[in-house]
Amino acid sequence: MTAVLSGTDLGAAVALSCRECGARVELGPSYACTECFGPLEVAYEFRLRGDELRAAIEAGPQNIWRYAPLLPVPSHVASTPNINPGATKLVKAENLGRELGLRNLWVKDDSGNPTHSFKDRVVAVALAAARELGFKVLACPSTGNLANAVAAAAARAGIRSVVFIPSNLEQQKILTTAAYGGTLIAVDGNYDDINRLAGQIAAEQEDWAFVNVNVRPFYAEGSKTLAYEVAESLGWRIPQQVVIPIASGSQLTKVDKGFTELAALGLVDDTPYKIFGAQATGCSPVSQAYKAGQDFVQPVRPDTIAKSLAIGNPADGPYVLDVVNRTGGAVEDVTDEEVVEGIQLLARTEGIFAETAGGVTVAVLRKLLATGKLDPDAETVIFNTGDGLKTLDAIADKVGPTATIKPTLDAFEATGLA
Amino acid sequence: MTAVLSGTDLGAAVALSCRECGARVELGPSYACTECFGPLEVAYEFRLRGDELRAAIEAGPQNIWRYAPLLPVPSHVASTPNINPGATKLVKAENLGRELGLRNLWVKDDSGNPTHSFKDRVVAVALAAARELGFKVLACPSTGNLANAVAAAAARAGIRSVVFIPSNLEQQKILTTAAYGGTLIAVDGNYDDINRLAGQIAAEQEDWAFVNVNVRPFYAEGSKTLAYEVAESLGWRIPQQVVIPIASGSQLTKVDKGFTELAALGLVDDTPYKIFGAQATGCSPVSQAYKAGQDFVQPVRPDTIAKSLAIGNPADGPYVLDVVNRTGGAVEDVTDEEVVEGIQLLARTEGIFAETAGGVTVAVLRKLLATGKLDPDAETVIFNTGDGLKTLDAIADKVGPTATIKPTLDAFEATGLA
């Protein structure tokens, strides 16, 4: 497919630029630099700033499209059928903070999105850009949240979706994507096999947008909206500390990009912030690299219950190290047992039932506090990026009824629970 | 427990009044009329109206507490720990409308609530009122959504929850409540047994608020917020037709109450609207009564996959008949097969994956159109009250992969799906 720029409206986006060598190419379905093979990202010439930008945002809809002036999407995006994620709650976590000894803690709870994970944000932006670039089909390889988000967004947009999953995926997880009625291809292979197949198909099918492959630079920008929403919810202020789970690492680097943009555009004061990354020990290549003081990431073979974070060779790994080191944060990892404890702790204290990725983040928060890396007096935001309903197996052996009784008042009183 | 009114702040609520004989009692944990045993509901003397009320609402938070002046809750409710539901999306359903031949269709999607059902609304109001009335424990009998909502809301409020479930409930459904760490009592008995036990315990435990028993009048008011949100989302206008699922029937009658209040208070024009009720044929006592032209409801034994609607003896049944007949609506029911088709139709056209109750509503919408009871040209809102992730079994035999292939390009191309 040839990128056709004339007549294409991608808002303030003006080019794709290489994150390694800085070379620029025109906006289109490219994702690797033709000069150095480095990854591309969206570059902008923002048209609004300061009070004018803030007013435009605050007059916008209660979803991510209020930030359209900061995204690579058409100006009419809010009126085009899409999944319209965002405007999720920033919950003041007083109980959890008290339990951990944190004075000022918030949970950004992205389980409130349409398919209950932050993937709705990145898919919505990918869909908007892909449609503008002339793509006809929305596709992805995925084992979970991304598959749900692509199938749902495409359904609502009235276009075809093609989702590739491993054929040995649990039936429950197959149903959550199959429900939307798109094309669902089960592949006899592991995620690496499927990913490779997706790359091959993307090269063949000119009008298929694989959200996390050939339109990845647009897709990734969707995570910036997490930073925008947190800052706006706090009354246009950047929190002092943020803890973010790491899969590819893209979410973490884009939240940093979002904060940086807001400060540069005069929407928030340019106050210092520290970004912390969270991984499960069973897939902790970035944490290992951080602790070893390396600026590269050695791939690992994932073995953790936190499957939505189980990327052994994270594309944004080195950039995560850059961000964490630049801001004075850290990367930490926790065992699967700690992950489950994290899920239970968040549910018990705040009534938020998180996916395993959320358990990773809460457990890492606790560990960072225990080791003195996190300041307990600084305003802190942690991200819950998914929903516990999708990873029920993680707690299946850990929780259950307090008591089982006959249906009588005597039986109840005999439990001592009255 | 003696209701102590002095110093109690329940907003504009001034009394409980009998829905049968109109007798009034003071605000407190009463739910049956001492004169005639009729059900009680909250009576108000609203302090704000017209532009003043609208301005107060529009300056409020993005959750149900923006409507606090219209609810039986303390004036400081928004700053008290609670689950803070509401502000869910009103989705313009152009694809579904096109498929069914409806010109102007919306879906009020309550799966976006914290525990993904409308029960968060009623529980949040029950919690706020119960705390103000001096209760220390939040409790309920439930088999599903209500259990989730009570456990989550109590966790966030930092108070104890006690939830009663049948001991033979599927493990997946037990986990979704057990995750929050409250007291969970499994009872060897069916829902009727548990309900009876809850009533007995409520009579013994002075400081336990059973949300759907002794504080039911407050709890039920939470459903009015669905009406408020729909009207506000439409730019302060009442839609011409609404389709609402019926379990106890309380949601339907409270939506009617909400619209009536908005018109009386001058927030919307007093335009006519028709309210339609939706049931599964396997538990359709209200639909049967409607079709037979009766003003009473004969209890049935439920047998349907739509378990969240499976109340064989619906408390608000007669009032539903009143509302439907007064507004010129109807009640209709659909088979379990049609329910599953309804789930799939909504997911495929709008990317909204509904619980079985949502499938009931979509299928009834289609049936009402086919039989000419619904005007295809009138603005119509249907309610999706829950989330498909909680009723995956309903679609387990109906959807699945389109194809299963080896991980090669050739294998993919051989499917003919390229």
Side-chain angles (χ1 to χ4, degrees):
Chain A
M1 174 167 196
T2 312
V4 181
L5 254 183
S6 56
T8 302
D9 172 10
L10 288 170
V14 292
L16 295 175
S17 72
C18 177
R19 293 166 82 179
E20 289 297 324
C21 74
R24 288 196 165 202
V25 296
E26 69 177 3
L27 288 169
S30 313
Y31 54 104
C33 177
T34 50
E35 305 288 322
C36 75
F37 302 107
L40 299 176
E41 71 174 343
V42 177
Y44 300 89
E45 285 174 14
F46 295 119
R47 294 159 196 171
L48 300 176
R49 52 192 306 129
D51 290 344
E52 203 181 357
L53 175 57
R54 182 161 35 229
I57 291 170
E58 291 176 351
Q62 284 294 327
N63 57 47
I64 62 168
W65 305 132
R66 66 200 279 107
Y67 309 109
L70 303 174
L71 296 170
V73 295
S75 44
H76 59 80
V77 65
S79 62
T80 314
N82 203 320
I83 200 82
N84 301 343
T88 58
K89 291 181 198 300
L90 183 69
V91 176
K92 188 90 174 83
E94 292 186 359
N95 297 336
L96 179 58
R98 197 178 304 116
E99 189 131 340
L100 296 179
L102 265 165
R103 280 206 319 117
N104 197 355
L105 177 65
W106 302 85
V107 179
K108 177 62 173 172
D109 184 13
D110 242 22
S111 67
N113 276 320
T115 72
H116 308 317
S117 88
F118 92 99
K119 291 292 186 185
D120 289 323
R121 298 178 184 272
V122 286
V123 167
V125 173
L127 168 60
R131 207 161 25 193
E132 186 68 15
L133 290 168
F135 289 98
K136 305 296 183 204
V137 174
L138 205 64
C140 71
S142 168
T143 60
N145 285 325
L146 182 59
N148 300 167
V150 163
R156 180 139 171 70
I159 67 172
R160 183 180 177 201
S161 68
V162 184
V163 172
F164 296 84
I165 57 170
S167 57
N168 65 357
L169 202 60
E170 305 92 306
Q171 200 219 10
Q172 299 278 315
K173 292 202 173 178
I174 293 176
L175 295 176
T176 60
T177 296
Y180 299 101
T183 301
L184 181 62
I185 309 282
V187 180
D188 293 331
N190 59 27
Y191 183 71
D192 287 340
D193 296 327
I194 293 169
N195 217 3
R196 192 181 55 245
L197 178 60
Q200 292 168 347
I201 296 170
E204 295 275 322
Q205 301 290 337
E206 287 199 339
D207 53 3
W208 289 29
F210 278 84
V211 295
N212 52 345
V213 183
N214 53 343
V215 293
R216 185 175 181 86
F218 303 96
Y219 164 88
E221 294 294 290
S223 287
K224 293 194 306 180
T225 60
L226 278 162
Y228 303 151
E229 287 186 10
V230 165
E232 186 176 1
S233 294
L234 293 174
W236 294 113
R237 205 178 66 242
I238 301 178
Q240 294 169 280
Q241 302 178 134
V242 188
V243 186
I244 304 175
I246 299 172
S248 73
S250 174
Q251 180 178 124
L252 187 148
T253 58
K254 294 306 179 191
V255 166
D256 174 60
K257 188 178 182 184
F259 286 151
T260 304
E261 286 172 349
L262 291 183
L265 292 168
L267 261 75
V268 298
D269 287 340
D270 190 7
T271 53
Y273 58 89
K274 296 182 180 184
I275 296 193
F276 296 83
Q279 294 205 297
T281 305
C283 183
S284 53
V286 187
S287 180
Q288 289 172 33
Y290 172 79
K291 289 174 181 176
Q294 294 164 345
D295 60 359
F296 63 94
V297 171
Q298 185 77 32
V300 301
R301 182 182 296 275
D303 179 18
T304 169
I305 59 169
K307 294 195 194 304
S308 63
L309 303 183
I311 297 183
N313 188 13
D316 270 31
Y319 305 112
V320 167
L321 294 170
D322 289 347
V323 168
V324 165
N325 288 321
R326 192 195 80 231
T327 64
V331 186
E332 188 52 274
D333 57 273
V334 288
T335 66
D336 284 1
E337 196 168 321
E338 291 172 302
V339 172
V340 176
E341 288 169 9
I343 293 173
Q344 293 183 258
L345 179 59
L346 182 61
R348 175 168 60 76
T349 54
E350 300 298 339
I352 297 171
F353 181 26
E355 191 201 79
T356 44
V360 169
T361 306
V362 172
V364 162
L365 171 73
R366 183 162 67 176
K367 194 164 175 182
L368 289 168
L369 279 163
T371 55
K373 288 178 189 148
L374 210 85
D375 178 357
D377 294 323
E379 185 167 60
T380 304
V381 175
I382 65 173
F383 286 19
N384 174 42
T385 54
D387 201 295
L389 289 179
K390 296 193 192 179
T391 58
L392 287 174
D393 285 351
I395 60 163
D397 299 333
K398 306 287 180 174
V399 303
T402 317
T404 301
I405 63 169
K406 299 284 169 208
T408 69
L409 197 53
D410 285 350
F412 174 65
E413 286 171 352
T415 62
L417 293 165
Chain B
M1 174 164 196
T2 313
V4 182
L5 254 183
S6 55
T8 302
D9 172 9
L10 288 170
V14 293
L16 295 175
S17 72
C18 178
R19 293 166 82 177
E20 289 297 325
C21 75
R24 288 194 166 204
V25 297
E26 69 178 4
L27 289 168
S30 313
Y31 54 103
C33 178
T34 51
E35 304 289 322
C36 76
F37 302 105
L40 299 176
E41 71 174 342
V42 177
Y44 301 88
E45 286 174 12
F46 295 118
R47 295 159 194 171
L48 300 176
R49 54 190 306 128
D51 291 343
E52 203 180 358
L53 175 57
R54 181 162 34 228
I57 291 171
E58 291 176 351
Q62 284 294 329
N63 57 48
I64 62 168
W65 304 130
R66 67 200 280 108
Y67 308 109
L70 304 174
L71 296 170
V73 295
S75 44
H76 59 78
V77 66
S79 61
T80 314
N82 204 319
I83 200 83
N84 301 342
T88 58
K89 292 181 198 299
L90 183 68
V91 176
K92 189 91 174 83
E94 291 187 0
N95 297 335
L96 178 59
R98 196 177 305 116
E99 188 130 342
L100 296 179
L102 265 163
R103 280 205 319 118
N104 197 355
L105 177 65
W106 303 84
V107 179
K108 177 63 173 170
D109 184 13
D110 243 20
S111 67
N113 275 320
T115 72
H116 309 316
S117 89
F118 92 100
K119 290 291 186 185
D120 289 322
R121 298 178 184 272
V122 287
V123 167
V125 172
L127 169 60
R131 208 159 28 190
E132 186 68 15
L133 291 167
F135 289 98
K136 305 296 184 204
V137 174
L138 206 64
C140 71
S142 168
T143 61
N145 285 325
L146 182 58
N148 300 168
V150 164
R156 179 139 171 71
I159 67 172
R160 184 181 176 201
S161 67
V162 185
V163 172
F164 295 83
I165 55 170
S167 57
N168 64 358
L169 202 60
E170 305 91 307
Q171 200 219 9
Q172 299 278 315
K173 293 200 172 179
I174 293 175
L175 294 176
T176 60
T177 296
Y180 300 101
T183 301
L184 181 62
I185 309 282
V187 180
D188 294 331
N190 58 27
Y191 184 72
D192 287 341
D193 296 327
I194 293 169
N195 218 4
R196 192 181 56 247
L197 178 60
Q200 292 168 347
I201 296 171
E204 295 275 322
Q205 301 291 338
E206 287 198 337
D207 53 5
W208 288 28
F210 279 84
V211 295
N212 51 345
V213 183
N214 53 343
V215 294
R216 185 175 181 86
F218 302 96
Y219 164 90
E221 294 294 291
S223 287
K224 293 194 307 181
T225 60
L226 279 162
Y228 303 151
E229 288 186 10
V230 166
E232 185 176 1
S233 295
L234 293 174
W236 295 113
R237 203 177 68 242
I238 300 178
Q240 293 170 281
Q241 302 178 133
V242 189
V243 186
I244 304 174
I246 299 172
S248 74
S250 175
Q251 179 177 124
L252 187 148
T253 58
K254 295 305 178 190
V255 166
D256 175 59
K257 188 178 182 185
F259 286 150
T260 305
E261 286 171 349
L262 291 183
L265 292 168
L267 262 74
V268 297
D269 287 340
D270 191 5
T271 51
Y273 58 88
K274 297 181 179 184
I275 295 192
F276 296 83
Q279 294 204 298
T281 304
C283 181
S284 52
V286 186
S287 179
Q288 289 171 32
Y290 172 79
K291 290 174 180 176
Q294 293 164 347
D295 61 0
F296 63 92
V297 171
Q298 187 76 32
V300 301
R301 182 182 297 272
D303 178 19
T304 170
I305 59 168
K307 294 195 192 304
S308 63
L309 303 182
I311 297 183
N313 188 14
D316 269 32
Y319 304 113
V320 167
L321 295 170
D322 288 349
V323 168
V324 165
N325 288 321
R326 192 194 80 230
T327 64
V331 187
E332 188 53 274
D333 57 271
V334 288
T335 65
D336 283 1
E337 195 168 323
E338 290 172 303
V339 172
V340 175
E341 288 169 7
I343 293 173
Q344 293 183 258
L345 179 59
L346 182 61
R348 176 169 59 78
T349 54
E350 300 298 338
I352 297 171
F353 181 28
E355 194 201 76
T356 44
V360 169
T361 306
V362 172
V364 162
L365 171 72
R366 183 161 67 176
K367 194 164 175 181
L368 288 168
L369 278 164
T371 55
K373 288 177 187 149
L374 210 86
D375 178 356
D377 294 321
E379 184 167 60
T380 304
V381 176
I382 65 173
F383 286 20
N384 174 41
T385 54
D387 200 294
L389 289 180
K390 295 192 193 180
T391 58
L392 286 174
D393 286 351
I395 59 162
D397 300 332
K398 305 287 178 173
V399 303
T402 317
T404 301
I405 63 169
K406 299 285 170 209
T408 68
L409 197 55
D410 283 351
F412 174 64
E413 286 172 353
T415 62
L417 293 164

